[in-house]
Amino acid sequence: PDGFFVTNPESLMKSWSEAYSIPETINCYTLDSLSLFEQKCYEAYRNTGINACLTGFSGGVRYSPVVRYSKVHVWVEREKINEFISNTGCKVVDSGSNIAIYIADSEEVFSNCKVIDNSRVASPVQIYLDCMQLKGRGEEMAESIFNKEIKK
């Protein structure tokens, strides 16, 4: 009567993450601190309407600060990539990037975004999927997001 529920969310999310991949990425560099660049991402969204949201470690720490990170991960709508790069002042590079722009070809990655601490952040489910693709401590971040935000 209350709708439906997932009986085994851990298995579902694990299987989904194995079938999931981030479609296309643009690697960029900024001299700004990561926090300043993340602020610029929010300002680009708020002031110009560019559909963008933090994900990966950048988004994950807003829900569950369990890792330190040295790279910003952000989803940006394909049609506004050049405008986003111009507004945030980053530079496209072949190596040495500290920003990964994930190109969004559909609105799904922006579903259930939240504003947390003056940052527009992807949903916990999207961040889980994106973190599971990251080397290093990505799985640790994904597990923390799952336990704190998805499983509840």
Side-chain angles (χ1 to χ4, degrees):
D2 295 332
F4 65 93
F5 65 96
V6 177
T7 57
N8 191 344
E10 191 166 9
S11 177
L12 173 67
M13 293 303 295
K14 183 76 171 161
S15 294
W16 190 359
S17 72
E18 290 168 0
Y20 174 80
S21 63
I22 297 165
E24 189 177 350
T25 304
I26 297 174
N27 291 306
C28 295
Y29 182 78
T30 183
L31 288 172
D32 293 333
S33 67
L34 298 184
S35 60
L36 178 57
F37 184 80
E38 290 166 343
Q39 182 181 343
K40 287 181 176 183
C41 293
Y42 182 60
E43 289 170 3
Y45 161 73
R46 193 182 63 213
N47 296 336
T48 67
I50 296 170
N51 212 354
C53 64
L54 300 177
T55 191
F57 296 127
S58 305
V61 298
R62 269 59 179 196
Y63 291 107
S64 183
V66 296
V67 301
R68 292 181 58 175
Y69 61 101
S70 58
K71 191 172 204 172
V72 173
H73 298 92
V74 58
W75 279 104
V76 178
E77 63 184 312
R78 180 179 293 277
E79 296 77 23
K80 303 285 181 122
I81 293 288
N82 291 333
E83 187 179 349
F84 177 83
I85 290 171
S86 175
N87 273 276
T88 58
C90 61
K91 177 183 175 187
V92 176
V93 295
D94 293 326
S95 63
S97 66
N98 60 355
I99 301 161
I101 299 174
Y102 298 163
I103 300 173
D105 284 315
S106 63
E107 294 290 316
E108 286 81 18
V109 297
F110 302 111
S111 294
N112 299 314
C113 285
K114 297 178 182 174
V115 175
I116 302 172
D117 298 329
N118 291 320
S119 296
R120 186 166 188 243
V121 182
S123 72
V125 169
Q126 186 64 53
I127 291 173
Y128 173 91
L129 293 170
D130 294 339
C131 282
M132 288 295 285
Q133 306 301 306
L134 298 175
K135 303 270 190 260
R137 302 189 61 198
E139 286 186 24
E140 180 181 348
M141 173 61 84
E143 184 175 324
S144 180
I145 295 287
F146 176 82
N147 289 324
K148 187 174 179 194
E149 298 292 330
I150 299 170
K151 187 176 173 180
K152 62 180 181 175

